[in-house]
Amino acid sequence: MKKTFLFLIFFLILFSSHSFGELSFVQTKDVTSDTPGVRGINFKPDGTRMYITSRENNLNARKAYMIEYSLSKPFDISTATISFSGGSPKGTPLTCDGAGGDDQMELPHAIEFKPDGTRMFITSNRNFGKGNTDVAVYQFKLTTPWDSTTLVCEKIYEVDITDSGTDPAAEDQVRVLDFNPDGTRMFVGGKRLHKLRQYDLATPFDLRSGVTPGGISDSLESFENNMRDIQFNPDGTQMFLTGNQRDSGLMQKFSLSTPYDITTLSSTTETFSLTSPSDANLVNNLMGFIFASNFTKIFVTSDDGNNDDAGNHNQIHEFDIDCAGTITCADPSANADVKAIIEANVESAKRIIRNNTLPIFHRTEWLRRHKNKDNLNNLNAGIDFTNEKIARLVSALETLKKDKDRTYSSDDWFQWSEGRVSLGRKSAKGGSSRDIHGYGISVGADRIKEEDRDEMYGYVFQYGNDDVDIGNNGTNLSTDSYSIAMYSTKFKDNESFTDSIIGFSLLDINHRRVINNNTLKGDRAGQQIFGSINFGKRLHDEKLNLSPGIKIDLGYTKLREFREKTTIGDSLADALIYKDQNIKTALATIGFLFDTENEQEERTTNHHGRIEYVGDFSPSSNAEFIYRNDKGTGYNYSTNNKSKHNYRIGYGFDITSITGWSVVTNFERFGASGKGFYNELYLLIGYVPIDDMKISFEIDNSNTTSLGFVNKINDYNFKINSNFNFLSEEKNHNTEISLSNKF
């Protein structure tokens, strides 16, 4: 029976072990010449310093030391050199004169730091020659952050794992140590009782006062009966345990139902092997470990204690982790941010189509409202783009501009432009919510069709930015779109009309995903073709004009494959490869527009608005992706159409003065009840030049806008220009006044 039980235990360990692909051996550094007994290990967060605790092997005079290394390449232990070699053996002696205990620590183990490097904590086993009074956590102050040579002992805090209150020494070999991120809870454990205990700290990372013993875990002896170290994942829902009794090369992963509460440890674990392809017994007699480099690497210390011809071996082993903080690769399609990114890509593709077609329809609507006017330039704006490609396209359109206000013919080109600022929010079930903001500029020109005076056609270039903040961790999707489109509008019987658009866009997507404190970035290219047709009828009345209609929008977007790149060293932990993705868009809109006209002596004002229902018949889009370091397993996520029924409402006004001023505004909301909205503000400001006077509204691709006024007075150019950044959170604006002349 006993043999059968042992066989089952062995089978379960073997079955649950993940020896291939999760932990990748990188290298080993031998530190035997630096220490006779390596124990705990830790790193400065930027990977430029490494720390190990060291003990002497002399049973009659065991002393503890801290050895600090400098790394010329962060987290590359092959570049580690001792930064201080004082003491014998090498390192800084761990002493605690006047701190409530013996002056010299004998058996150090785990190391933890306050996040700013101003305080260090080390667990100590017992002092052999002095009883069991030194089963404690030592607290040191570092007068120079991260410099262990400046340590000053502040406190020796004796721990009691038993909760008996009478026998603190019942646990005589305290080793493991960890803190929660804010330093308000400390975790300690040892060999004899095989239990962990948590302590609540009134002052974060300070044991000198207000320490309250808390819960105790169940015995972990069945998993590891000689525990050496523990560490939690970033959110405290997982705990990792190592030791050297059951199998020195194994690591156990526990789940916690309540984060950072060891009383809720699961009774089952996952087991991971610390080996190399060439050495199944790489980690012989494990002593300590630390996850580092934002959980993309793990470092393990071992002291085999051999006294053979090769002597005692003290080593540090480096492993890469396939998936940061979790070791096993979780299904990314279940990750809220990954789902939100894929959904945001689909939503952004739809918005870009809408943002490319709406300014054109605004133009055709304006033409119908001003059909009988002599001049159809509704904006005479100077457009200044610092991007050379955009500037060349805009300058080509600028050459088509009319110089003077006169009755139009088929030879005349009429220039127009429109600026847009957008804000919105999208809620999500199962995924992360999204905050949306964007802007854009449209520059176009149109003319009367020679053979049909009731039809106009034109061309428009558009630049837009669609920026989506996903969740609360810094994940972001930013899409720049460069579009060109051709459009036409046809009047029939002065009532019915047909608008049509066909266009093409190039997409440049900047992708940023944050997971386990690791930022993964990538640039994704895409192409888009879109078309729209709008049928309607204009019903005239003395006070109110109505334009019922129906519109169909179609689009096809192809997003190219791209790879996430890590910002931490060469680790590929959690990085994904996103395959090509196809997005089909089909929208049908039904509703009506309305407008009124108020003619006064100096100006004409048009009020206009819309109420529309938008049905989204777009099919689902399937996204496929794989881990960069696990290309054998594929994952996918399909974006079902979650907003089939939508609305679009809007209001705006036109003001056209007899002096040449033209102002057009549109405020519109697009949304679905309970599922999010998208607010858009469109603004047109123009002036038909009179003599030498010019007024312009300008926007460049650095989000900077300007409003300028130029007039020639007695051969002098008088100029006023005001600049401001309408998307910046910081106040950034200025005004310039100049007077110049050319001699």
Side-chain angles (χ1 to χ4, degrees), residues 106-355:
E106 290 189 357
L107 299 178
H109 215 87
I111 320 164
E112 291 294 333
F113 287 91
K114 188 178 179 181
D116 62 3
T118 60
R119 192 163 281 148
M120 178 177 68
F121 304 85
I122 299 175
T123 54
S124 172
N125 296 352
R126 60 185 177 134
N127 284 340
F128 276 101
K130 304 170 183 177
N132 296 335
T133 60
D134 213 15
V135 182
V137 179
Y138 283 59
Q139 175 177 309
F140 298 91
K141 176 184 177 181
L142 304 180
T143 56
T144 300
W146 303 110
D147 185 351
S148 62
T149 66
T150 67
L151 61 85
V152 178
C153 189
E154 292 184 316
K155 176 68 175 179
I156 299 177
Y157 182 81
E158 284 194 34
V159 297
D160 176 13
I161 309 292
T162 67
D163 204 24
S164 66
T166 59
D167 188 16
E171 177 58 82
D172 63 355
Q173 294 200 41
V174 172
R175 292 169 176 165
V176 307
L177 176 66
D178 202 6
F179 289 83
N180 68 344
D182 64 8
T184 59
R185 179 164 288 181
M186 178 179 70
F187 305 89
V188 180
K191 174 186 178 181
R192 184 175 177 182
L193 300 177
H194 318 292
K195 296 181 179 181
L196 304 173
R197 182 162 200 172
Q198 58 198 33
Y199 297 82
D200 293 326
L201 282 62
T203 303
F205 295 104
D206 194 346
L207 302 174
R208 290 174 294 180
S209 63
V211 180
T212 304
I216 301 174
S217 72
D218 294 332
S219 174
L220 304 177
E221 184 177 8
S222 62
F223 303 101
E224 177 55 62
N225 63 0
N226 190 21
M227 64 173 69
R228 288 287 180 175
D229 214 344
I230 63 167
Q231 192 172 354
F232 294 87
N233 74 333
D235 63 9
T237 59
Q238 298 168 0
M239 187 193 78
F240 300 88
L241 168 70
T242 57
N244 59 19
Q245 191 67 37
R246 295 292 186 194
D247 189 329
S248 190
L250 292 183
M251 172 179 286
Q252 306 282 345
K253 184 179 80 171
F254 296 80
S255 298
L256 292 83
S257 57
T258 302
Y260 294 107
D261 185 352
I262 57 172
T263 65
T264 67
L265 284 172
S266 62
S267 59
T268 59
T269 66
E270 292 183 67
T271 305
F272 305 94
S273 182
L274 302 168
T275 64
S276 77
S278 61
D279 186 0
N281 297 312
L282 176 68
V283 182
N284 187 11
N285 201 24
L286 183 150
M287 290 296 164
F289 80 98
I290 187 72
F291 287 106
S293 187
N294 286 334
F295 280 76
T296 65
K297 289 182 176 292
I298 183 174
F299 297 87
V300 180
T301 59
S302 64
D303 175 7
D304 65 11
N306 287 338
N307 293 312
D308 55 21
D309 294 338
N312 184 31
H313 297 288
N314 290 273
Q315 297 176 320
I316 302 172
H317 313 280
E318 177 184 342
F319 297 83
D320 278 341
I321 305 175
D322 284 357
C323 302
T326 61
I327 299 185
T328 51
C329 296
D331 184 353
S333 65
N335 180 269
D337 279 5
V338 171
K339 292 192 290 185
I341 285 173
I342 295 169
E343 293 175 355
N345 270 315
V346 175
E347 295 163 0
S348 180
K350 295 179 181 180
R351 278 196 302 272
I352 290 171
I353 292 176
R354 189 167 72 248
N355 292 333

Side-chain angles (χ1 to χ4, degrees), residues 501-742:
I501 302 170
I502 187 167
F504 177 78
S505 300
L506 295 177
L507 309 180
D508 183 10
I509 305 171
N510 184 267
H511 167 110
R512 183 180 74 230
R513 181 166 68 97
V514 181
I515 181 172
N516 297 312
N517 297 317
N518 188 14
T519 300
L520 302 169
K521 296 182 176 181
D523 293 316
R524 190 174 201 178
Q527 298 85 40
Q528 186 179 76
I529 187 171
F530 58 91
S532 185
I533 189 166
N534 181 38
F535 302 98
K537 188 172 184 178
R538 188 166 171 82
L539 306 177
H540 298 275
D541 188 82
E542 293 183 0
K543 296 183 178 181
L544 179 66
N545 301 312
L546 293 176
S547 299
I550 183 170
K551 178 163 64 76
I552 298 175
D553 296 295
L554 300 174
Y556 176 79
T557 306
K558 188 175 187 65
L559 304 182
R560 298 298 182 181
E561 177 180 303
F562 84 104
R563 303 183 174 204
E564 292 179 327
K565 300 177 181 178
T566 184
T567 58
I568 303 176
D570 299 322
S571 175
L572 297 178
D574 287 318
L576 297 173
I577 299 175
Y578 295 76
K579 302 292 187 179
D580 288 352
Q581 183 180 354
N582 301 317
I583 303 170
K584 299 177 182 179
T585 303
L587 304 175
T589 302
I590 186 170
F592 64 90
L593 284 63
F594 61 88
D595 64 270
T596 63
E597 183 175 308
N598 182 17
E599 291 191 10
Q600 298 178 333
E601 184 177 347
E602 298 292 329
R603 66 181 182 271
T604 299
T605 303
N606 293 87
H607 296 271
H608 50 86
R610 61 188 347 105
I611 300 175
E612 296 173 327
Y613 165 80
V614 183
D616 191 342
F617 302 96
S618 306
S620 60
S621 176
N622 188 61
E624 298 179 353
F625 35 88
I626 57 176
Y627 281 104
R628 291 189 62 176
N629 49 2
D630 183 19
K631 299 179 181 178
T633 305
Y635 306 90
N636 69 86
Y637 178 70
S638 183
T639 60
N640 298 319
N641 194 342
K642 300 176 182 176
S643 301
K644 295 182 179 181
H645 306 287
N646 308 274
Y647 64 88
R648 181 183 171 206
I649 56 176
Y651 168 78
F653 60 87
D654 308 349
I655 300 177
T656 307
S657 82
I658 61 174
T659 58
W661 281 99
S662 177
V663 179
V664 184
T665 64
N666 281 287
F667 173 81
E668 297 180 4
R669 166 170 284 206
F670 184 95
S673 180
K675 297 180 180 178
F677 63 88
Y678 196 60
N679 292 331
E680 297 172 311
L681 177 63
Y682 299 85
L683 178 63
L684 300 85
I685 304 175
Y687 192 85
V688 178
I690 299 175
D691 299 324
D692 295 317
M693 184 187 299
K694 295 182 179 179
I695 294 178
S696 66
F697 177 71
E698 303 178 351
I699 182 172
D700 65 27
N701 63 341
S702 63
N703 308 334
T704 300
T705 64
S706 66
L707 182 65
F709 168 85
V710 179
N711 195 14
K712 182 171 287 187
I713 305 174
N714 296 329
D715 295 328
Y716 284 86
N717 287 325
F718 177 73
K719 181 178 181 180
I720 300 176
N721 195 67
S722 177
N723 301 296
F724 58 97
N725 191 319
F726 60 87
L727 289 180
S728 175
E729 295 180 358
E730 300 180 359
K731 295 183 179 180
N732 183 14
H733 58 268
N734 62 79
T735 301
E736 300 175 353
I737 302 176
S738 63
L739 187 67
S740 61
N741 194 4
K742 295 182 179 180

